[in-house]
Amino acid sequence: MTIDLGKKSFIYPALINTHDHMRGNYLPRVGPPKGVYYMNWLPWDNDLKASETYTERSNISDKELYQLSTYKNLFSGVTTVNDHFPQAWNKEILPHLPIRAILEYGLAHECSSYDLKWGDGIEVEHTRAIKKHWPFITHLSEGFDRESMDGVITLENLKVLDSHCLLIHCIGFSDEDIKKVANAGASISWCGASNIFMFNVTCKIRKFIKAGINVTIGTDSSHTGSFNLFEEMHYDRELYRQMYGEDLPAKKIFEMVTINAAKAFWLDKKLGSLDEGKLGDILLLKAKKDDPYENFASAGMKDIELLTMAGKPLYGEMRFIDIFGGKLPEGYTEITVGGRPMFIAGDPAALYREARKKVGFKKKLDYLPFEPEA
């Protein structure tokens, strides 16, 4: 089918979010007291579970939280995401979501004595990842206590530091750690907003880039991070400016959430670019800027005109209704975003209403850019 765009637009590969916790995408954020920051993730976890946010979240089922998280990602042009939890927790839910939440990964929670012991152990999970051509995904150096700072050494000692590794956060890396990770061909997921909120510092991102490390971007959960990937891109670019007094090129941002992310997931033969033979994950954005990369890096939820996954339309302006032969098929609904009538896979308005009903008030979730009662 040939689509008449009808006006100036830019076509991009759909985005890839390399780090999310999909049952944790609820608001508001939970963090340390003002002026205080964490040494590692553990006190944050304790604060979360004692918070009003967590209590309120518990009114909503895991299935509904995953569905809400689907739309958090979809409304920022994401068709592929990693839910950083063990497959035993999510394998019954992820295949039924409208977007692609990958199940093909080995994992650990973190490489420390006080991690959450996810999966079958670091060495077993890593061996499985090698055998199946999957990524091995773990938080690493998420903090500044001794064990967090020794994350790279731990992976080295276990002989699992290699190109299958996708390492999340990495804020405690030394220059020697950066060199080792670059030499190993590992990838990292930069979650700048979450890092600053929890620790008041992020990774040495400019050194990572200059070392040739495959850098990607993740949102983390909205309990600590940005509310979606568009916002994370904007935040991380401004954070880079503040840290280094120079610009992070828009093309580099684009690569971090497309081809770099596909490589980190070992899916670059299928995703991450518009090359012939790939799956057809496509994002159409309004052309507000002449430069396509600057246009991409400045995009927001109201700029999406069409999103497809493997050639299947997931979300788009109703002017593209001819894709469906002029009538929405079963399983799609219509919403209004930025004054535009939009079709969407599933029924996020009903989901939003149900969440509000369960918490007992008109809850606002910033990653949902519409009003369900309208």
Side-chain angles (χ1 to χ4, degrees), residues 186-252:
S187 301
I188 72 138
S189 181
W190 181 26
C191 306
S194 180
N195 298 161
I196 296 297
F197 180 68
M198 292 178 66
F199 304 105
N200 200 33
V201 68
T202 191
C203 62
K204 300 174 181 176
I205 187 63
R206 184 168 65 174
K207 288 186 175 181
F208 286 10
I209 294 170
K210 288 185 175 181
I213 293 173
N214 185 52
V215 176
T216 73
I217 292 177
T219 57
D220 213 341
S221 80
S222 60
H223 278 321
T224 60
S226 294
F227 62 77
N228 69 20
L229 194 55
F230 279 150
E231 291 303 309
E232 185 69 33
M233 287 160 46
H234 304 160
Y235 184 95
D236 289 347
R237 195 178 192 195
E238 180 57 30
L239 178 60
Y240 191 97
R241 289 190 186 107
Q242 292 174 10
M243 290 171 66
Y244 303 114
E246 64 187 43
D247 192 32
L248 180 60
K251 184 179 179 183
K252 185 67 68 176

Side-chain angles (χ1 to χ4, degrees), residues 148-302:
S148 294
M149 298 286 282
D150 284 343
V152 170
I153 293 173
T154 300
L155 293 181
E156 273 192 313
N157 290 341
L158 293 174
K159 297 181 169 41
V160 298
L161 181 61
D162 61 15
S163 60
H164 285 266
C165 291
L166 172 55
L167 309 175
I168 315 299
H169 300 308
C170 310
I171 61 177
F173 274 23
S174 66
D175 289 352
E176 183 64 20
D177 290 337
I178 294 171
K179 182 178 179 181
K180 289 176 179 178
V181 167
N183 289 340
S187 301
I188 72 138
S189 181
W190 181 26
C191 306
S194 180
N195 298 161
I196 296 297
F197 180 68
M198 292 178 66
F199 304 105
N200 200 33
V201 68
T202 191
C203 62
K204 300 174 181 176
I205 187 63
R206 184 168 65 174
K207 288 186 175 181
F208 286 10
I209 294 170
K210 288 185 175 181
I213 293 173
N214 185 52
V215 176
T216 73
I217 292 177
T219 57
D220 213 341
S221 80
S222 60
H223 278 321
T224 60
S226 294
F227 62 77
N228 69 20
L229 194 55
F230 279 150
E231 291 303 309
E232 185 69 33
M233 287 160 46
H234 304 160
Y235 184 95
D236 289 347
R237 195 178 192 195
E238 180 57 30
L239 178 60
Y240 191 97
R241 289 190 186 107
Q242 292 174 10
M243 290 171 66
Y244 303 114
E246 64 187 43
D247 192 32
L248 180 60
K251 184 179 179 183
K252 185 67 68 176
I253 289 279
F254 167 78
E255 291 168 348
M256 289 177 181
V257 295
T258 55
I259 192 60
N260 290 10
K263 289 176 181 176
F265 281 167
W266 284 65
L267 291 173
D268 50 305
K269 291 184 179 180
K270 297 180 179 180
L271 302 171
S273 73
L274 298 177
D275 294 341
E276 185 176 355
K278 294 198 176 182
L279 287 180
D281 285 27
I282 294 171
L283 173 64
L284 186 70
L285 293 175
K286 292 179 185 177
K288 300 187 301 182
K289 296 179 180 289
D290 292 335
D291 180 86
Y293 294 114
E294 288 293 343
N295 190 71
F296 177 88
S298 65
M301 290 188 286
K302 294 180 181 180

Side-chain angles (χ1 to χ4, degrees), residues 307-328:
L307 179 68
T308 73
M309 183 179 75
K312 176 185 176 181
L314 296 181
Y315 175 55
E317 295 180 349
M318 289 298 290
R319 65 190 176 96
F320 295 116
I321 191 66
D322 286 347
I323 292 173
F324 301 109
K327 180 181 178 182
L328 283 183

